[in-house]
Amino acid sequence: MAQDQVAESLLQYVKPIIGTQRMGHTYPGATFPFGMVQLSPDTDTLSYETDGKYNPDVYKYCAGYQYDDPTIIGFSHTHLSGTGHSDLGDFLIMPTIGPRQLSPGVAHVAGSGFRSHYQHANEIAEADYYRVRLDDHNILAELTASPRVGMHRYTFPATDSAAIILDLMSGIYNYPDKNVWTYVRIENDTLITGYRQTHGWARTRTLYFAMSFSRPFRDYGCKDFSKKEVYKGFWGKFDQSHQFPELAGKQLRAWFRFAKQDGNTVLIKFALSPVSTEGALKNMRTEIPGWNFDQVRKQGQTEWNNELSRIRIDASTADKENFYTAMYHAFINPTLYMDVDHQYKGLDQGIHTANGFTNYTTFSLWDTYRALHPLFTIIQTSRNADMVQSMLSHYDQSSLHMLPIWSNSANENWCMTGYHAVAVLADAVVKNTRGIDGARALEACITTANRRSYDGIGLYLDKGYIPVDLNGNGVSTTLEYAYDDWAIAQLAQKLHRDDVYQEFLKRSNNYRNVFDKKTRFMHARLSDGSFKGNFDPLSTSNQGFIEGNGWNYSLFVPQDPKSLMELMGGDKAFIHYLDTLFTMQLPDAFFAETEDITRDGIIGGYVHGNEPSHHVAYLYDATSQPWKTQERVRMILKNQYRNTADGLGGNDDCGQMSAWYIFSSLGFYPLAPGSGVYQIGSPSINSADLQLENGKHFRIMVRNQGPKQVYVERMELNGKPLTHYSITHEEIMNGGTLTFYMSAKHPN
Amino acid sequence: MAQDQVAESLLQYVKPIIGTQRMGHTYPGATFPFGMVQLSPDTDTLSYETDGKYNPDVYKYCAGYQYDDPTIIGFSHTHLSGTGHSDLGDFLIMPTIGPRQLSPGVAHVAGSGFRSHYQHANEIAEADYYRVRLDDHNILAELTASPRVGMHRYTFPATDSAAIILDLMSGIYNYPDKNVWTYVRIENDTLITGYRQTHGWARTRTLYFAMSFSRPFRDYGCKDFSKKEVYKGFWGKFDQSHQFPELAGKQLRAWFRFAKQDGNTVLIKFALSPVSTEGALKNMRTEIPGWNFDQVRKQGQTEWNNELSRIRIDASTADKENFYTAMYHAFINPTLYMDVDHQYKGLDQGIHTANGFTNYTTFSLWDTYRALHPLFTIIQTSRNADMVQSMLSHYDQSSLHMLPIWSNSANENWCMTGYHAVAVLADAVVKNTRGIDGARALEACITTANRRSYDGIGLYLDKGYIPVDLNGNGVSTTLEYAYDDWAIAQLAQKLHRDDVYQEFLKRSNNYRNVFDKKTRFMHARLSDGSFKGNFDPLSTSNQGFIEGNGWNYSLFVPQDPKSLMELMGGDKAFIHYLDTLFTMQLPDAFFAETEDITRDGIIGGYVHGNEPSHHVAYLYDATSQPWKTQERVRMILKNQYRNTADGLGGNDDCGQMSAWYIFSSLGFYPLAPGSGVYQIGSPSINSADLQLENGKHFRIMVRNQGPKQVYVERMELNGKPLTHYSITHEEIMNGGTLTFYMSAKHPN
């Protein structure tokens, strides 16, 4: 079977458009697996708000694109995939014809700016290829990317007014003063370099670029839209707006105009670097030396196909589309963050060299420790080791000596709670991942977990819980720390560090300190030891939980479901609790007050659209009714993932939602990363073949599969009966076959 | 004679306080010869103006210090010496005791901030050593510096409230938003790193630092004084104001508090780098590995003495003070701009390595091409070659492909007119300076001189003059270009490039195109070829001259005084013109409207306090009355230079005023750099010994010297009569003795 045929066969199932409508916060544009460039259309960025206040609508534009929007303002080079916070959107490129327009205009006023209408009928979004017709300009826009270089191909109508706008003002969630500084340098009539420095979610971030045109522009200019240019000095000698080769300021837009030409195309190579314009040039010259757009696309798509081929499934076309789009979304983040010469900017804002590893950023760890990194331990083993190395470098460079909470382009944005990097490290070491210095990892975990000044850790250490009168998320953070501490204990045990094991195992029991035996819920506790009044397990407001409520967070003891079950009253009570959660009717008021949770992502009171409950369906495995795990998982797979633009019920969160899908559709899930064990659910595929980096294959065969055959009657691992509802990482990595025998009936 | 004794003997004549009162714009603080650090007290910076308007008083604070001010706000690490524009003032350090104060307060309200009163009686300013008692805090402050590292020694009273403020807000001419970004990182309890990025005279400039304390602080904090911090995100998890190790923002002030200790001193090493904090650390560890303040001071002062010893003179103590302070001021700029590993930031904002040369910045070329660089060709020959190399690198990195106009920390600030770098290059090559690639220099000169978009060059090339209706400084710029073109012609002739020689020699006659034969003045001309009406040769406003008037600028043909004399009506008329200039009474209105010219710097209508007339006194040498050159020069030496704080009649302009003094007091002056010839004036010293880098000595002996013996009766060069009023560079560099025989009477 020729490679290209293989490529064809999986690429066809990737639909980057999935999740671009409403809550998914994915983008449809072109990116290379784990690439530095995410070259994608922005339909709006709300860059043009000027009152300095938070605009709640900005939330829609975390990825720059909303499927329902009628216009595209341009194509920018960096995007977060699936996040619930905004940043990036660097270096917006827009091709135009006609009179020069340097303002994007507004969507509801035709011709008010350089933005253009477009139609989904004229839009193609593939892995590493995006194409759209810009109706207002009659321009065909095509995008592809190598790891560090975006490539554009614009086919203009026959015109002598073909122009390219390079917009350095634009950016995602561009509140006033987010642009700290920008710089543009016209090196010659085909090459531009510069940088954009921003103060956003990443507090102090600079991204460099080198931009090359396939043919010389015949005219160019730039405008600084800064409200006031205070210091002018002797720059008044020049007309800097026209044919002036070097610009610096906060709000720059440049334009380049091209002569009429047969086959009126302009290609652009746009290289990024976290280090320097020289680094960007190096990246460009190494990755895309020539001007063959189709070849760059082919290389990218071949690479995507190779990555997707790590798991080959048999399933319905719709399921394959869901599955391979999930694989696609899972293989976007973390993102490459170093030049071809291995130089990168570190958290200390200095330039470092990644010796012997590939440096990554965009670690959305509160999300991705749950399933994305565990997935990587199986099918991206060496890349996951590089990610661990990147986290350890982050730790080395951290002024607080902490592992990343949310690593964002040489910045820590401190997003969300817990110190879940420890779970990723523990999981990788426990699973014998090569290339990780376990002792160094353990030291980093211990230091991080003892940073008293960080988010209640001091209180947690002193009291065994975080009082909500001192820290608004005290309950959920206590629960998360307890789990993380258990992960550290696993790591210590693996390294035979019994002292550390005992210490952190003890800490991991702290979840008990926020369990209210009276209400049988995890419950906000005050400094004086008492539980807070006015308890409402449905409410997500002022109850001590971040992005969740008592009903969901009370189940957050993934490290020890049996003990949780005991606390909650034993098997029957626990099943009742879970059943109630999945079947309750939520009042309307719930949605009005709750961040990051919408009706789309809810089943009963179970919230799949956000992460804290991602393990919940698998908790039935600890009870006498594991078939309910099977039933719930299949229901979630069906309800929460669809192969349409609005197919994701919540933010994809840098691949975590997708990783849940991948695991669950294969029939197992990492309930407690760090354990080396996966819980059995219910596979939705017919069969799967996991190609492991050790050369082995782990195969999943599903007998008697069907939409109603959601119950696992029995299982065989390599022909021998598997009698418990779990499988170990070692068993998977040894290769072999797990066979599920399905049934439409559950045992009791 | 022991080295230390020598050091003592010349250092005693250096009085950095000269020029710190009123117009000199020098600073009294510590700097190493041509050093990167200029560590000096700021008495005010007007950093705290917030209305966004230009405050004319800011002009007083170009060097941060005004002698008449009653308070010091702190000690910052970078200062321009003698300029008429403002920038720098980076990283203000202030020691305090008592309750924490994070605002400098205002001078007229005692205790309103951390600033302190001081008295000149408690102030010592030496080359590379500054000391002052801060009365409000009872702290003795001492400063010294190596090339790239400032060292502070603060002796506190017995107190447990000793604190050091690190102010990143403060800066010289700090209009709102000049601070683009600042960053501070507490590496440990003795080491701080960070940077300050500004948008000022240097449009896009970043300076990095590493700051080390001699003993650990026991507490620290930081405050961001930004009006609004728009994006906060998850940083709210921390109290960033206290013991938080990493800060970024626009308006930061940090404080460090020290425990009480015997011999209550805190030393600081404060290293700078144009490249990175890592570079600053490297600079610190290389240049000042230990903590011996006195040794650093001794090394700096020994180096100063070595530099000053390049010319040893015999003269009155007052004259020695003027002379060696002039030498001191001449050896401050240009300033070192590279790390110990030869890395530096280039004009293209990229990091470069200076291979085989030392990179410099702070080229105030409109000033310094006249006498400072010619002085360097004699007594700082190899350093001047490095400066030429630095200018050529600037050219290579320039997006406009131009030699520097005013090189300001990896920026071009375009200050003033002409393209006088060509004169420095031509002068160095014509004088056979080693280590300069003449062909490369010539190419850079030609390209620069043909940059049509720059300041009227296109008009100048098309019309032979710059019409004032299109360019407000058309007359003076035409005159300056004509001289510069002549310098390029000299360079071309030296390289046997006859084509270029002829072309630029022709261009150099363009001064004739702005000479009005009717008025016999250089006179503003319009696009239509006519001379502009309302001509007033006294006025400095709207007459086509920058910082000057018709009376002075009409003499700006240094390259061809004989032809100018012809134009002006011959010997007698020219003498009459010069005599009138030196003896006229200026109306009061003149001073009200004129930038950079004050009464202090005026003799008659001759303006010594600004540069365009610096050659004028030497023009009599072209007439039948060269004795008037001698007379005028001695008068200027006496009137315009005094050994007091108010001793400079105008801005020292990065050493140009001082270089005029050095040359003139030695008895000769480079009328037209590029000629390889110096005009004879009248020496004011008794004797001088110039130690040349080729190992030879050029000695000047003055017989019958005295305050009234200002006329040169005759001269001998190496015992042979010198019968013309000039001497060549070659004659000087060959070594030998020039003997002046003075007289109290002039010949006619």
Side-chain angles (χ1 to χ4, degrees), chain B residues 698-724:
Chain B
F698 183 70
R699 292 186 177 85
I700 295 155
M701 299 298 299
V702 187
R703 306 296 182 197
N704 195 32
Q705 178 62 287
K708 298 196 167 170
Q709 285 82 343
V710 303
Y711 302 106
V712 178
E713 197 173 75
R714 63 188 178 87
M715 296 172 283
E716 285 172 1
L717 180 61
N718 299 325
K720 289 175 190 162
L722 187 70
T723 55
H724 45 274

Side-chain angles (χ1 to χ4, degrees), chain B residues 6 141 168 183 300 309 337 339 348 400 422 459 465 548 650 696 710 721 733 735 743 746:
Chain B
V6 174
L168 280 95
Y183 178 77
S309 300
Y337 198 67
D339 289 342
D348 58 2
L400 279 170
V422 305
L459 297 165
Y465 69 95
K696 296 178 181 170
V710 303
M733 300 311 277
S743 165
H746 60 77

Side-chain angles (χ1 to χ4, degrees), chain A residues 35 137 210 230 306 334 351 403 447 472 476 538 595 603 605 633 681 719 725 736:
Chain A
H137 303 297
V230 181
N306 292 341
I351 306 305
L403 283 162
T447 307
S476 55
L538 270 178
E595 195 184 354
I603 296 170
V633 164
Y725 288 95

Side-chain angles (χ1 to χ4, degrees), chain A residues 506-551:
Chain A
K506 188 171 166 219
R507 284 173 59 154
S508 78
N509 280 315
N510 281 340
Y511 70 87
R512 294 172 184 272
N513 299 331
V514 287
F515 187 81
D516 184 354
K517 284 175 183 152
K518 218 163 58 190
T519 59
R520 286 203 173 152
F521 281 98
M522 300 294 178
H523 184 177
R525 216 167 152 188
L526 302 169
S527 307
D528 65 6
S530 67
F531 285 98
K532 185 169 173 260
N534 296 322
F535 178 58
D536 176 0
L538 270 178
S539 172
T540 56
S541 173
N542 293 320
Q543 296 288 333
F545 305 106
I546 192 164
E547 297 187 2
N549 63 13
W551 267 102

Side-chain angles (χ1 to χ4, degrees), chain A residues 52 85-86 173 175-177 179-181 183 185-187 195 197-205 208 228-231 233-235 237-238 240 243-250 277 347-350 396-402 405 411-418 451 453-455 546-547, chain B residues 52 85-86 173 175-177 179-181 183 185-187 195 197-205 208 228-231 233-235 237-238 240 243-250 277 347-350 396-402 405 411-418 451 453-455 546-547:
Chain A
H85 261 64
S86 303
Y173 192 19
Y175 54 84
D177 291 333
N179 263 21
V180 170
W181 201 242
Y183 177 78
R185 187 177 157 94
I186 317 299
E187 304 275 357
Y195 62 79
Q197 180 179 359
T198 53
H199 167 49
W201 202 19
R203 185 169 65 172
T204 179
R205 168 178 177 272
Y208 299 85
K228 48 178 184 184
E229 168 83 20
V230 181
Y231 191 91
F234 285 84
W235 286 92
K237 285 179 182 176
F238 299 101
Q240 290 185 70
Q243 297 194 347
F244 192 81
E246 191 185 26
L247 295 127
K250 289 190 180 183
T277 57
L347 190 65
D348 58 2
Q349 303 303 300
D396 288 343
Q397 296 151 6
S398 157
S399 63
L400 279 170
H401 308 295
M402 288 184 72
I405 304 301
N411 278 262
E412 173 57 83
N413 68 31
W414 304 112
C415 187
M416 299 305 287
T417 45
R451 175 64 51 222
S453 62
Y454 176 71
D455 207 13
I546 192 164
E547 297 187 2
Chain B
H85 261 64
S86 303
Y173 191 20
Y175 53 84
D177 292 333
N179 263 21
V180 170
W181 202 242
Y183 178 77
R185 188 177 157 93
I186 316 299
E187 304 276 356
Y195 62 79
Q197 180 179 358
T198 53
H199 167 50
W201 202 20
R203 184 169 66 171
T204 179
R205 169 179 177 272
Y208 299 85
K228 47 177 184 184
E229 167 84 22
V230 180
Y231 192 91
F234 285 83
W235 286 92
K237 285 179 181 175
F238 299 100
Q240 291 186 68
Q243 296 194 348
F244 192 81
E246 192 184 25
L247 294 127
K250 289 189 181 186
T277 57
L347 190 65
D348 58 2
Q349 303 302 300
D396 289 343
Q397 296 153 4
S398 157
S399 62
L400 279 170
H401 309 294
M402 288 185 72
I405 304 300
N411 279 262
E412 174 57 82
N413 68 32
W414 304 113
C415 186
M416 299 304 286
T417 45
R451 175 64 51 221
S453 61
Y454 177 72
D455 208 12
I546 193 165
E547 296 187 3

Side-chain angles (χ1 to χ4, degrees), chain A residues 16-17 20 26-30 39-41 63 65 123-126 129-130 328:
Chain A
I17 210 74
T20 61
T26 56
Y27 57 80
L39 176 51
S40 187
Y65 181 98
E123 189 183 34
I124 296 173
E126 299 175 359
Y129 178 68
Y130 177 84
Y328 169 80

